[in-house]
Amino acid sequence: MERIDKIIAAAKNISRSDARALIKKGLVSVDGETVKAVDRKFDEVNSDIECNSEKISYSKFVYIMMNKPKGVISASDGRGDKTVIDILPDDMKRKNLFPAGRLDKDTTGFMLITDDGDFAHRILSPKSHIPKTYIAVLDKPFDNEIISAFNKGIMLKNDTCMPALLEAVDDTFTVGRVTISQGMYHQIKRMFGKFGIEVLELKRIKMGALELDSSLGDGECRYLIADEIDKIKQQI
Ligand code: URA
């Protein structure tokens, strides 16, 4: 059982207050009966719920895209530090949410947050090779030798990284667009570090086929829509 405002907000990718407004206007019905009490609870899976005469398909889990700001930890327990879960807006908070993936505290950009444990587990697994693209601002330029070393696979400690794509964003060669298919600890910083290059800023802009929504400001988030969830699930 779930509150009707929460069901409508999640299904239509709108805020809880916008969902409440629709309910109060009499635009929501459950099993043919108009519902005006925003806090009434229904069986979200087995009820026939309509909003604006459109059938609502309720997803058991939520998938949230966040534009992670600097200074927050990609974990559910920050042990004193703020986490990506702490900074979710109140109307998106629910039980069992945690980040499906890791970004360093100072890395910004695309963070997926979900309560679908199986999905998160598959994304976090070392067996998952979903491509992830980052923009890296560097303290000095890279060259074609480094591009081909990334492409062959850099050795980090005793592991050879999978081939990575490195492209110059502009002709200074101090901003790189890097695509990796693993999630090793500090991977991109260590890959550049091999060549004495320091990563000054790092932002994840893409996971699989999904790009970070450019309308999301620092720390802002939105629900993924069904089509986006399908796309990312196909890649893990
Ligand atoms: N590589 C890094 O070095 N840091 C990140 O946060 C992600 C990839």
Side-chain angles (χ1 to χ4, degrees):
M1 299 284 274
E2 190 67 273
R3 280 174 61 122
I4 189 68
D5 56 349
K6 204 164 178 180
I7 298 174
I8 299 295
K12 297 201 67 81
N13 189 23
I14 56 176
S15 68
R16 283 274 275 279
S17 53
D18 286 346
R20 282 183 208 122
L22 293 173
I23 297 163
K24 284 180 186 157
K25 275 190 200 155
L27 294 172
V28 171
S29 70
V30 179
D31 295 329
E33 179 206 342
T34 302
V35 176
K36 287 205 169 172
V38 296
D39 57 352
R40 260 184 78 186
K41 289 189 171 180
F42 294 95
D43 173 350
E44 67 276 16
V45 179
N46 297 311
S47 307
D48 185 9
I49 303 173
E50 288 192 2
C51 179
N52 245 339
S53 308
E54 252 178 54
K55 197 167 159 30
I56 289 293
S57 56
Y58 184 81
S59 154
K60 195 166 166 213
F61 299 114
V62 293
Y63 304 84
I64 297 168
M65 173 193 287
M66 175 183 280
N67 182 8
K68 177 190 171 299
K70 272 190 190 181
V72 296
I73 310 258
S74 57
S76 40
D77 176 9
R79 301 206 172 96
D81 277 310
K82 248 193 192 151
T83 70
V84 288
I85 307 299
D86 293 330
I87 65 165
L88 283 171
D90 282 344
D91 62 3
M92 281 183 150
K93 282 188 178 149
R94 56 195 259 163
K95 265 189 284 165
N96 300 329
L97 281 176
F98 58 100
R102 297 265 173 272
L103 290 179
D104 296 338
K105 190 173 175 180
D106 60 352
T107 300
T108 60
F110 195 160
M111 184 88 244
L112 256 182
I113 297 168
T114 184
D115 53 355
D116 180 345
D118 180 53
F119 169 83
H121 189 72
R122 281 191 288 145
I123 285 213
L124 284 162
S125 155
K127 287 191 206 132
S128 154
H129 296 307
I130 181 164
K132 289 163 285 232
T133 303
Y134 297 79
I135 297 294
V137 178
L138 310 166
D139 71 336
K140 45 180 101 61
F142 59 90
D143 58 18
N144 286 332
E145 243 172 71
I146 300 178
I147 293 178
S148 67
F150 271 43
N151 200 251
K152 282 196 194 106
I154 306 270
M155 234 356 227
L156 290 181
K157 274 206 180 146
N158 297 326
D159 292 321
T160 307
C161 297
M162 291 172 70
L165 180 67
L166 171 59
E167 301 158 287
V169 167
D170 58 27
D171 55 14
T172 68
F173 279 70
T174 56
V175 185
R177 190 184 159 92
V178 192
T179 302
I180 56 174
S181 309
Q182 291 156 293
M184 288 158 67
Y185 183 64
H186 292 335
Q187 184 168 340
I188 292 180
K189 292 173 184 162
R190 288 160 67 209
M191 286 165 71
F192 280 110
K194 273 267 184 185
F195 302 93
I197 296 177
E198 193 188 336
V199 175
L200 303 175
E201 302 274 338
L202 192 61
K203 177 172 190 172
R204 181 153 70 192
I205 56 163
K206 203 169 172 192
M207 285 183 80
L210 294 190
E211 298 204 22
L212 176 65
D213 186 331
S214 59
S215 70
L216 295 177
D218 265 7
E220 287 182 349
C221 41
R222 70 159 172 85
Y223 292 110
L224 294 189
I225 56 169
D227 191 40
E228 293 172 323
I229 298 166
D230 287 347
K231 265 192 192 158
I232 198 137
K233 281 191 173 170
Q234 275 165 23
Q235 292 189 284
I236 57 170

